[in-house]
Amino acid sequence: MRIHFLLLWLLVAIQLAGQTTPDLPKPSPAQLRWHETEFYLFFHFGPNTFTNLEWGHGTETEDVFNPTDLDCDQWCRVAKQAGARGVVITAKHHDGFCLWPSGYSTHTVRESPWKDGRGDVLRELSEACRRHGLKFGVYLSPWDRNHPQYGTPEYNDVYAKTLTELLTGYGELFEVWWDGANGEGPNGKKQVYDFHRFEKLVARLQPDAVIFSDIGPGCRWAGNERGTVNETNWCTLDTAGFGRGATGPPADTLQRGNSYGANWIPAECDVSIRPGWFYHPEEDEQVKTPEQLLEIYLKSVGRGANLILNVPPDRRGRIHARDSLHLAEFGALLHTRFSSNLAKDKKWIRLFRACAFTPRKYRSDLNDGDPATYQPLHQDVAVSGPVYREVLDLGRKRRFQTIVLQEYLPEGQRIAAFTVEVREKGEWQMLFQGTTIGHKRILTFPEVRARRIRFTVKEARAHPLISEVAVY
Ligand code: FUL
Protein backbone atom coordinates (compact mmCIF):
# COMPACT_ATOMS: atom_id res chain seq x y z
CA MET A 1 0.00 0.00 0.00
CA ARG A 2 2.72 2.36 1.08
CA ILE A 3 4.79 1.57 -2.02
CA HIS A 4 1.81 2.26 -4.27
CA PHE A 5 1.27 5.59 -2.62
CA LEU A 6 4.94 6.44 -3.04
CA LEU A 7 4.84 5.50 -6.72
CA LEU A 8 1.76 7.60 -7.28
CA TRP A 9 3.40 10.52 -5.55
CA LEU A 10 6.50 10.11 -7.70
CA LEU A 11 4.43 10.09 -10.87
CA VAL A 12 2.61 13.25 -9.87
CA ALA A 13 5.94 14.91 -8.97
CA ILE A 14 7.45 13.98 -12.35
CA GLN A 15 4.38 15.29 -14.14
CA LEU A 16 4.52 18.59 -12.26
CA ALA A 17 8.24 18.97 -12.87
CA GLY A 18 7.60 18.59 -16.59
CA GLN A 19 5.04 21.37 -16.54
CA THR A 20 6.80 24.03 -14.54
CA THR A 21 9.10 26.32 -16.47
CA PRO A 22 12.80 25.97 -15.71
CA ASP A 23 14.38 28.47 -13.42
CA LEU A 24 15.70 30.83 -16.10
CA PRO A 25 17.10 34.22 -15.09
CA LYS A 26 14.44 36.86 -15.68
CA PRO A 27 14.56 40.65 -16.08
CA SER A 28 13.36 42.94 -13.31
CA PRO A 29 10.51 45.36 -14.11
CA ALA A 30 13.12 48.15 -14.40
CA GLN A 31 15.14 46.07 -16.87
CA LEU A 32 12.03 45.34 -18.92
CA ARG A 33 11.35 49.07 -19.21
CA TRP A 34 15.01 49.55 -20.12
CA HIS A 35 14.69 46.98 -22.95
CA GLU A 36 11.79 48.97 -24.32
CA THR A 37 13.88 52.16 -24.31
CA GLU A 38 16.06 50.53 -27.03
CA PHE A 39 17.87 53.59 -28.39
CA TYR A 40 19.07 56.76 -26.68
CA LEU A 41 21.66 59.50 -27.11
CA PHE A 42 24.80 60.04 -25.08
CA PHE A 43 26.09 63.57 -24.49
CA HIS A 44 29.77 64.03 -23.66
CA PHE A 45 30.12 67.62 -22.56
CA GLY A 46 32.49 69.41 -20.16
CA PRO A 47 35.90 71.11 -20.04
CA ASN A 48 37.19 68.73 -22.76
CA THR A 49 34.73 70.34 -25.17
CA PHE A 50 36.66 73.59 -24.76
CA THR A 51 40.22 72.27 -24.36
CA ASN A 52 39.87 69.82 -27.25
CA LEU A 53 40.85 66.83 -25.13
CA GLU A 54 39.33 63.36 -24.69
CA TRP A 55 40.66 62.75 -21.19
CA GLY A 56 41.02 66.02 -19.28
CA HIS A 57 43.81 66.17 -16.70
CA GLY A 58 41.68 67.47 -13.88
CA THR A 59 43.95 70.52 -13.57
CA GLU A 60 42.00 72.66 -16.06
CA THR A 61 40.76 75.89 -14.51
CA GLU A 62 37.00 76.19 -14.19
CA ASP A 63 36.91 79.24 -16.46
CA VAL A 64 37.46 77.06 -19.53
CA PHE A 65 33.84 75.93 -19.21
CA ASN A 66 31.81 78.67 -20.85
CA PRO A 67 29.23 77.61 -23.46
CA THR A 68 27.99 80.68 -25.31
CA ASP A 69 24.52 79.48 -26.29
CA LEU A 70 23.59 76.33 -24.37
CA ASP A 71 20.25 74.96 -25.55
CA CYS A 72 19.17 71.60 -24.11
CA ASP A 73 15.84 71.83 -25.95
CA GLN A 74 17.81 71.67 -29.18
CA TRP A 75 19.60 68.52 -27.92
CA CYS A 76 16.22 66.97 -27.17
CA ARG A 77 14.73 67.93 -30.52
CA VAL A 78 17.68 66.24 -32.23
CA ALA A 79 17.18 63.14 -30.08
CA LYS A 80 13.48 62.98 -30.87
CA GLN A 81 14.03 63.40 -34.61
CA ALA A 82 16.50 60.53 -34.56
CA GLY A 83 13.94 58.30 -32.88
CA ALA A 84 15.80 58.14 -29.55
CA ARG A 85 13.76 57.54 -26.40
CA GLY A 86 16.16 58.96 -23.84
CA VAL A 87 19.50 60.64 -23.17
CA VAL A 88 22.47 60.11 -20.85
CA ILE A 89 24.92 62.92 -20.00
CA THR A 90 28.44 62.97 -18.57
CA ALA A 91 27.51 64.62 -15.27
CA LYS A 92 31.17 64.15 -14.39
CA HIS A 93 33.89 62.76 -16.67
CA HIS A 94 37.39 61.66 -15.61
CA ASP A 95 38.57 65.28 -15.20
CA GLY A 96 36.26 65.55 -12.19
CA PHE A 97 34.39 68.67 -13.38
CA CYS A 98 30.75 68.56 -12.25
CA LEU A 99 28.11 69.87 -14.66
CA TRP A 100 25.99 70.68 -11.63
CA PRO A 101 26.90 72.77 -8.55
CA SER A 102 27.85 69.81 -6.36
CA GLY A 103 28.26 70.46 -2.66
CA TYR A 104 31.16 67.99 -2.54
CA SER A 105 33.52 69.50 -5.09
CA THR A 106 35.00 72.89 -5.87
CA HIS A 107 35.50 72.01 -9.51
CA THR A 108 32.00 72.62 -10.89
CA VAL A 109 29.81 74.90 -13.01
CA ARG A 110 29.48 77.09 -9.91
CA GLU A 111 33.16 78.03 -10.15
CA SER A 112 32.90 78.70 -13.90
CA PRO A 113 31.99 81.96 -15.65
CA TRP A 114 28.99 80.31 -17.37
CA LYS A 115 25.81 82.09 -16.23
CA ASP A 116 27.98 83.79 -13.57
CA GLY A 117 28.29 80.47 -11.78
CA ARG A 118 24.55 80.08 -11.39
CA GLY A 119 24.03 77.51 -14.15
CA ASP A 120 23.24 73.81 -13.84
CA VAL A 121 23.44 71.74 -17.02
CA LEU A 122 21.71 68.76 -15.41
CA ARG A 123 18.79 70.90 -14.33
CA GLU A 124 18.38 72.33 -17.84
CA LEU A 125 18.70 68.96 -19.54
CA SER A 126 16.47 67.00 -17.16
CA GLU A 127 13.74 69.63 -17.50
CA ALA A 128 14.06 69.69 -21.30
CA CYS A 129 13.80 65.87 -21.32
CA ARG A 130 10.53 66.05 -19.42
CA ARG A 131 9.19 68.63 -21.87
CA HIS A 132 10.10 66.39 -24.81
CA GLY A 133 9.07 63.05 -23.30
CA LEU A 134 12.60 61.65 -23.15
CA LYS A 135 14.07 59.51 -20.39
CA PHE A 136 17.05 60.93 -18.54
CA GLY A 137 20.23 59.22 -17.29
CA VAL A 138 23.64 60.16 -15.90
CA TYR A 139 27.29 59.12 -16.32
CA LEU A 140 29.28 59.66 -13.14
CA SER A 141 32.89 58.65 -13.75
CA PRO A 142 34.29 56.71 -10.81
CA TRP A 143 37.82 57.70 -11.87
CA ASP A 144 38.40 61.32 -10.85
CA ARG A 145 41.61 63.16 -11.74
CA ASN A 146 40.68 66.27 -9.80
CA HIS A 147 39.21 65.36 -6.45
CA PRO A 148 41.83 65.71 -3.69
CA GLN A 149 40.48 62.62 -1.92
CA TYR A 150 40.66 60.35 -4.92
CA GLY A 151 42.80 57.34 -4.02
CA THR A 152 41.73 57.30 -0.34
CA PRO A 153 38.82 55.49 1.37
CA GLU A 154 37.17 58.91 1.90
CA TYR A 155 36.64 59.21 -1.84
CA ASN A 156 33.95 56.53 -1.55
CA ASP A 157 32.02 58.89 0.73
CA VAL A 158 32.49 61.72 -1.77
CA TYR A 159 31.32 59.50 -4.64
CA ALA A 160 28.30 58.27 -2.66
CA LYS A 161 27.35 61.85 -1.78
CA THR A 162 27.70 63.19 -5.32
CA LEU A 163 25.77 60.19 -6.61
CA THR A 164 23.03 60.94 -4.06
CA GLU A 165 22.79 64.50 -5.38
CA LEU A 166 22.14 63.10 -8.85
CA LEU A 167 19.72 60.45 -7.61
CA THR A 168 17.62 62.92 -5.64
CA GLY A 169 17.86 66.23 -7.48
CA TYR A 170 16.81 65.68 -11.08
CA GLY A 171 13.65 63.61 -11.18
CA GLU A 172 13.42 60.08 -12.44
CA LEU A 173 16.56 58.48 -13.91
CA PHE A 174 16.39 55.49 -16.24
CA GLU A 175 20.10 54.71 -16.27
CA VAL A 176 23.26 55.30 -14.24
CA TRP A 177 26.45 54.83 -16.27
CA TRP A 178 29.74 53.59 -14.78
CA ASP A 179 32.58 53.28 -17.22
CA GLY A 180 35.59 51.16 -16.36
CA ALA A 181 38.40 53.51 -17.43
CA ASN A 182 41.33 54.32 -15.20
CA GLY A 183 44.45 55.73 -16.77
CA GLU A 184 46.50 56.36 -13.64
CA GLY A 185 49.41 54.20 -14.79
CA PRO A 186 51.71 52.02 -12.68
CA ASN A 187 52.61 54.73 -10.15
CA GLY A 188 49.22 56.35 -10.07
CA LYS A 189 46.57 56.54 -7.40
CA LYS A 190 44.74 53.32 -6.65
CA GLN A 191 41.14 53.65 -5.62
CA VAL A 192 39.29 50.72 -4.12
CA TYR A 193 35.70 51.55 -5.01
CA ASP A 194 32.80 50.55 -2.81
CA PHE A 195 30.55 49.66 -5.74
CA HIS A 196 28.32 47.57 -3.53
CA ARG A 197 27.44 50.68 -1.53
CA PHE A 198 26.82 52.73 -4.68
CA GLU A 199 24.57 49.99 -6.11
CA LYS A 200 22.50 49.96 -2.93
CA LEU A 201 22.11 53.74 -3.12
CA VAL A 202 20.77 53.55 -6.68
CA ALA A 203 18.42 50.69 -5.78
CA ARG A 204 17.04 52.64 -2.83
CA LEU A 205 16.77 56.12 -4.35
CA GLN A 206 15.98 55.29 -7.99
CA PRO A 207 14.58 51.76 -8.12
CA ASP A 208 13.65 52.20 -11.80
CA ALA A 209 17.19 53.07 -12.86
CA VAL A 210 19.36 50.42 -14.48
CA ILE A 211 23.10 50.49 -13.75
CA PHE A 212 25.44 50.11 -16.72
CA SER A 213 28.97 48.75 -16.24
CA ASP A 214 31.17 45.92 -17.52
CA ILE A 215 29.25 43.59 -15.21
CA GLY A 216 25.98 45.42 -14.69
CA PRO A 217 24.13 44.76 -12.44
CA GLY A 218 21.48 46.37 -14.68
CA CYS A 219 23.04 46.09 -18.13
CA ARG A 220 26.48 45.29 -19.49
CA TRP A 221 28.99 46.89 -21.83
CA ALA A 222 28.92 45.06 -25.18
CA GLY A 223 32.72 44.71 -25.26
CA ASN A 224 33.56 47.28 -27.97
CA GLU A 225 32.99 50.96 -28.73
CA ARG A 226 31.75 50.37 -32.27
CA GLY A 227 28.13 50.14 -31.20
CA THR A 228 27.58 46.50 -32.15
CA VAL A 229 26.97 43.18 -30.45
CA ASN A 230 27.41 39.60 -31.67
CA GLU A 231 24.59 37.98 -33.66
CA THR A 232 24.27 35.47 -30.85
CA ASN A 233 23.46 37.70 -27.93
CA TRP A 234 22.32 36.30 -24.59
CA CYS A 235 20.93 38.67 -21.99
CA THR A 236 22.48 36.48 -19.32
CA LEU A 237 25.98 36.85 -17.90
CA ASP A 238 28.15 35.14 -15.30
CA THR A 239 29.85 37.76 -13.19
CA ALA A 240 31.41 35.69 -10.40
CA GLY A 241 35.11 36.51 -10.16
CA PHE A 242 34.90 39.52 -12.48
CA GLY A 243 35.10 43.22 -11.68
CA ARG A 244 34.83 46.43 -13.67
CA GLY A 245 37.42 47.85 -16.06
CA ALA A 246 40.60 45.80 -16.38
CA THR A 247 39.12 42.96 -14.33
CA GLY A 248 35.95 42.74 -16.42
CA PRO A 249 34.89 39.68 -18.46
CA PRO A 250 36.69 39.16 -21.80
CA ALA A 251 35.37 41.25 -24.70
CA ASP A 252 34.18 38.14 -26.50
CA THR A 253 31.99 37.16 -23.54
CA LEU A 254 30.56 40.70 -23.29
CA GLN A 255 29.73 40.51 -27.01
CA ARG A 256 27.67 37.33 -26.63
CA GLY A 257 26.73 37.02 -22.97
CA ASN A 258 26.79 33.53 -21.43
CA SER A 259 24.15 31.23 -22.89
CA TYR A 260 23.46 29.64 -19.51
CA GLY A 261 24.57 32.71 -17.52
CA ALA A 262 23.30 33.17 -13.99
CA ASN A 263 22.22 36.84 -14.10
CA TRP A 264 20.00 38.94 -16.35
CA ILE A 265 22.52 41.55 -17.58
CA PRO A 266 21.67 42.48 -21.19
CA ALA A 267 24.07 44.25 -23.55
CA GLU A 268 24.20 47.98 -24.27
CA CYS A 269 26.22 49.07 -27.31
CA ASP A 270 28.05 52.41 -27.09
CA VAL A 271 29.48 54.33 -30.00
CA SER A 272 30.11 57.95 -30.98
CA ILE A 273 28.75 59.65 -34.09
CA ARG A 274 32.24 61.14 -34.45
CA PRO A 275 35.70 59.61 -33.93
CA GLY A 276 35.97 61.17 -30.44
CA TRP A 277 33.53 61.18 -27.51
CA PHE A 278 33.90 64.93 -26.99
CA TYR A 279 33.37 67.63 -29.61
CA HIS A 280 36.42 68.53 -31.71
CA PRO A 281 36.01 71.01 -34.57
CA GLU A 282 38.50 69.10 -36.73
CA GLU A 283 36.09 66.13 -36.75
CA ASP A 284 33.23 68.07 -38.33
CA GLU A 285 33.81 66.23 -41.60
CA GLN A 286 33.84 62.82 -39.93
CA VAL A 287 30.29 62.57 -38.68
CA LYS A 288 28.84 59.10 -39.36
CA THR A 289 26.38 59.06 -42.25
CA PRO A 290 22.70 58.13 -41.85
CA GLU A 291 23.45 54.82 -43.62
CA GLN A 292 26.31 54.06 -41.21
CA LEU A 293 24.02 54.82 -38.29
CA LEU A 294 21.37 52.47 -39.68
CA GLU A 295 23.98 49.72 -40.01
CA ILE A 296 24.95 50.23 -36.35
CA TYR A 297 21.29 50.21 -35.29
CA LEU A 298 20.68 46.91 -37.08
CA LYS A 299 23.73 45.38 -35.37
CA SER A 300 22.72 46.56 -31.89
CA VAL A 301 18.97 47.04 -31.45
CA GLY A 302 18.50 44.55 -34.30
CA ARG A 303 20.39 41.95 -32.27
CA GLY A 304 18.51 42.37 -29.02
CA ALA A 305 20.80 44.97 -27.40
CA ASN A 306 20.24 48.65 -26.58
CA LEU A 307 22.10 51.39 -28.43
CA ILE A 308 23.57 54.48 -26.77
CA LEU A 309 24.76 56.81 -29.52
CA ASN A 310 27.06 59.65 -28.49
CA VAL A 311 26.41 63.07 -30.03
CA PRO A 312 28.74 65.63 -28.43
CA PRO A 313 27.44 69.20 -28.06
CA ASP A 314 29.88 71.86 -29.30
CA ARG A 315 31.40 74.94 -27.63
CA ARG A 316 28.20 76.89 -28.01
CA GLY A 317 26.41 74.14 -26.11
CA ARG A 318 24.47 73.08 -29.19
CA ILE A 319 24.57 70.07 -31.45
CA HIS A 320 26.48 70.85 -34.60
CA ALA A 321 24.37 71.19 -37.77
CA ARG A 322 26.12 68.27 -39.48
CA ASP A 323 25.31 65.86 -36.66
CA SER A 324 21.73 67.03 -36.37
CA LEU A 325 21.20 66.69 -40.13
CA HIS A 326 22.59 63.14 -40.19
CA LEU A 327 20.46 62.19 -37.21
CA ALA A 328 17.30 63.57 -38.75
CA GLU A 329 18.02 61.62 -41.93
CA PHE A 330 18.73 58.49 -39.92
CA GLY A 331 15.40 58.96 -38.09
CA ALA A 332 13.68 59.23 -41.46
CA LEU A 333 15.39 56.02 -42.64
CA LEU A 334 14.08 54.19 -39.58
CA HIS A 335 10.64 55.63 -40.09
CA THR A 336 10.37 54.55 -43.73
CA ARG A 337 11.82 51.14 -43.08
CA PHE A 338 9.45 50.31 -40.24
CA SER A 339 6.33 52.18 -41.22
CA SER A 340 4.03 49.65 -42.91
CA ASN A 341 3.89 46.27 -41.24
CA LEU A 342 2.57 43.72 -43.76
CA ALA A 343 1.91 41.22 -40.97
CA LYS A 344 -0.38 43.46 -38.96
CA ASP A 345 -3.58 41.51 -38.13
CA LYS A 346 -2.94 38.92 -40.85
CA LYS A 347 -3.99 35.36 -40.08
CA TRP A 348 -1.87 32.34 -39.21
CA ILE A 349 -2.43 28.86 -40.55
CA ARG A 350 -1.93 25.46 -39.07
CA LEU A 351 -1.94 22.43 -41.31
CA PHE A 352 -3.18 19.33 -39.57
CA ARG A 353 -1.91 16.03 -40.92
CA ALA A 354 -5.35 14.42 -40.91
CA CYS A 355 -6.96 17.16 -42.93
CA ALA A 356 -4.13 18.75 -44.85
CA PHE A 357 -6.52 20.33 -47.31
CA THR A 358 -8.40 22.36 -44.74
CA PRO A 359 -5.83 24.42 -42.94
CA ARG A 360 -7.12 26.09 -39.83
CA LYS A 361 -6.79 29.86 -39.95
CA TYR A 362 -6.55 31.86 -36.77
CA ARG A 363 -5.75 35.25 -35.37
CA SER A 364 -2.88 35.53 -32.94
CA ASP A 365 -1.25 37.74 -30.36
CA LEU A 366 1.91 37.24 -32.39
CA ASN A 367 1.09 40.14 -34.69
CA ASP A 368 -1.36 42.26 -32.75
CA GLY A 369 1.20 45.08 -32.51
CA ASP A 370 1.34 44.78 -28.72
CA PRO A 371 4.66 43.48 -27.35
CA ALA A 372 3.02 42.94 -23.96
CA THR A 373 0.97 40.01 -25.31
CA TYR A 374 2.55 36.78 -26.49
CA GLN A 375 1.88 33.33 -27.78
CA PRO A 376 3.68 30.09 -27.01
CA LEU A 377 4.70 28.61 -30.38
CA HIS A 378 2.87 25.49 -31.53
CA GLN A 379 4.86 22.32 -30.98
CA ASP A 380 4.91 20.28 -34.17
CA VAL A 381 5.00 16.69 -32.97
CA ALA A 382 5.12 15.35 -36.52
CA VAL A 383 8.73 16.51 -36.83
CA SER A 384 11.45 14.74 -34.86
CA GLY A 385 12.97 16.59 -31.96
CA PRO A 386 11.18 19.43 -30.20
CA VAL A 387 10.24 21.68 -33.11
CA TYR A 388 7.99 24.68 -32.65
CA ARG A 389 6.50 26.45 -35.61
CA GLU A 390 3.89 28.83 -36.93
CA VAL A 391 2.97 29.87 -40.46
CA LEU A 392 1.94 33.40 -41.33
CA ASP A 393 -0.34 34.03 -44.30
CA LEU A 394 0.05 37.51 -45.78
CA GLY A 395 -3.19 37.00 -47.74
CA ARG A 396 -1.48 37.45 -51.09
CA LYS A 397 2.04 37.62 -52.43
CA ARG A 398 3.86 40.62 -50.97
CA ARG A 399 7.37 42.04 -51.35
CA PHE A 400 9.41 42.45 -48.18
CA GLN A 401 13.01 42.76 -47.02
CA THR A 402 12.82 42.97 -43.26
CA ILE A 403 11.32 40.80 -40.53
CA VAL A 404 11.27 41.81 -36.88
CA LEU A 405 10.90 39.16 -34.18
CA GLN A 406 10.47 39.82 -30.48
CA GLU A 407 10.70 37.31 -27.69
CA TYR A 408 8.49 37.63 -24.61
CA LEU A 409 11.18 38.40 -22.04
CA PRO A 410 9.34 38.44 -18.68
CA GLU A 411 9.64 34.62 -18.76
CA GLY A 412 13.34 34.68 -19.65
CA GLN A 413 15.28 34.40 -22.90
CA ARG A 414 14.56 30.99 -24.39
CA ILE A 415 15.20 30.77 -28.11
CA ALA A 416 18.64 29.48 -29.16
CA ALA A 417 18.11 28.55 -32.83
CA PHE A 418 15.44 29.51 -35.35
CA THR A 419 14.76 29.59 -39.07
CA VAL A 420 12.49 31.60 -41.33
CA GLU A 421 11.32 30.11 -44.63
CA VAL A 422 9.07 31.32 -47.42
CA ARG A 423 6.81 29.20 -49.62
CA GLU A 424 7.94 29.28 -53.24
CA LYS A 425 6.71 27.00 -56.02
CA GLY A 426 5.21 24.58 -53.51
CA GLU A 427 8.43 24.29 -51.47
CA TRP A 428 9.67 25.91 -48.30
CA GLN A 429 12.79 27.93 -49.11
CA MET A 430 15.21 28.98 -46.39
CA LEU A 431 15.26 32.75 -45.93
CA PHE A 432 17.15 33.15 -42.66
CA GLN A 433 18.85 30.99 -40.02
CA GLY A 434 19.56 32.56 -36.69
CA THR A 435 20.38 31.82 -33.07
CA THR A 436 19.08 34.17 -30.37
CA ILE A 437 16.19 36.65 -30.58
CA GLY A 438 15.82 38.38 -27.20
CA HIS A 439 14.07 41.74 -26.98
CA LYS A 440 14.23 42.26 -30.74
CA ARG A 441 15.79 40.61 -33.76
CA ILE A 442 15.73 42.51 -37.03
CA LEU A 443 16.35 40.25 -40.02
CA THR A 444 17.30 41.97 -43.26
CA PHE A 445 17.70 40.23 -46.62
CA PRO A 446 17.42 41.03 -50.34
CA GLU A 447 13.78 41.67 -51.18
CA VAL A 448 11.62 38.55 -51.60
CA ARG A 449 8.06 38.10 -52.84
CA ALA A 450 5.96 35.54 -51.01
CA ARG A 451 2.62 34.91 -49.34
CA ARG A 452 3.44 32.40 -46.60
CA ILE A 453 6.24 32.67 -44.06
CA ARG A 454 7.15 29.80 -41.75
CA PHE A 455 8.86 30.45 -38.42
CA THR A 456 10.55 27.49 -36.76
CA VAL A 457 12.35 27.25 -33.44
CA LYS A 458 14.62 24.24 -33.22
CA GLU A 459 16.42 24.88 -29.99
CA ALA A 460 15.06 26.57 -26.90
CA ARG A 461 15.78 26.67 -23.18
CA ALA A 462 12.04 26.27 -22.54
CA HIS A 463 8.84 26.52 -24.56
CA PRO A 464 9.45 29.48 -26.93
CA LEU A 465 7.25 32.54 -26.34
CA ILE A 466 7.07 35.17 -29.09
CA SER A 467 5.46 38.53 -28.46
CA GLU A 468 5.65 40.14 -31.91
CA VAL A 469 6.31 39.29 -35.53
CA ALA A 470 6.41 42.13 -38.07
CA VAL A 471 7.14 42.08 -41.79
CA TYR A 472 8.24 45.13 -43.82
C1 FUL B 1 35.24 55.39 -21.48
C2 FUL B 1 35.90 56.75 -21.27
O1 FUL B 1 37.26 56.60 -20.94
C3 FUL B 1 35.72 57.54 -22.53
O2 FUL B 1 36.30 58.82 -22.41
C4 FUL B 1 34.24 57.65 -22.82
O3 FUL B 1 33.61 58.38 -21.80
C5 FUL B 1 33.64 56.26 -22.93
C6 FUL B 1 32.16 56.28 -23.17
O4 FUL B 1 33.88 55.55 -21.73
O5 FUL B 1 35.42 54.59 -20.38
Side-chain angles (χ1 to χ4, degrees), residues 104-150:
Y104 305 96
S105 166
T106 51
H107 191 48
T108 80
V109 279
R110 188 185 48 234
E111 287 74 31
S112 82
W114 178 59
K115 294 199 166 173
D116 294 326
R118 282 192 289 275
D120 180 343
V121 182
L122 301 193
R123 167 103 33 244
E124 294 198 21
L125 183 58
S126 59
E127 287 174 358
C129 281
R130 271 190 288 280
R131 281 194 288 279
H132 293 266
L134 289 163
K135 296 187 184 183
F136 179 61
V138 289
Y139 171 123
L140 188 67
S141 168
W143 180 32
D144 191 315
R145 302 179 96 175
N146 173 271
H147 207 282
Q149 272 159 336
Y150 185 81

Side-chain angles (χ1 to χ4, degrees), residues 316-335:
R316 297 168 304 165
R318 296 175 74 96
I319 290 169
H320 189 272
R322 177 76 52 109
D323 308 48
S324 79
L325 180 69
H326 288 197
L327 283 164
E329 285 172 3
F330 163 65
L333 283 181
L334 284 185
H335 186 75

Side-chain angles (χ1 to χ4, degrees), residues 42 44 48 54-55 90 93-94 139 143 177-182 212 221 225 270-271 277-278 310:
F42 211 171
H44 274 65
N48 296 341
E54 275 293 307
W55 278 6
T90 50
H93 201 250
H94 310 326
Y139 171 123
W143 180 32
W177 224 85
W178 291 339
D179 72 293
N182 188 329
F212 167 100
W221 185 45
E225 292 182 340
D270 63 331
V271 65
W277 291 100
F278 284 87
N310 181 62

Side-chain angles (χ1 to χ4, degrees), residues 75 91 107 113 133 138 179 188 195 214 216 261 264 273 294 305 323 328 353 373 407 410 458:
W75 306 6
H107 191 48
V138 289
D179 72 293
F195 279 115
D214 294 333
W264 190 272
I273 196 167
L294 179 64
D323 308 48
R353 297 260 132 187
T373 60
E407 208 172 332
K458 290 191 172 148

Side-chain angles (χ1 to χ4, degrees), residues 342 346-347 361 392-398 450-453:
L342 301 177
K346 291 290 183 319
K347 289 199 175 144
K361 292 203 172 195
L392 177 66
D393 182 6
L394 294 178
R396 63 185 168 88
K397 283 199 169 182
R398 305 299 301 259
R451 172 174 172 175
R452 289 179 179 179
I453 311 174

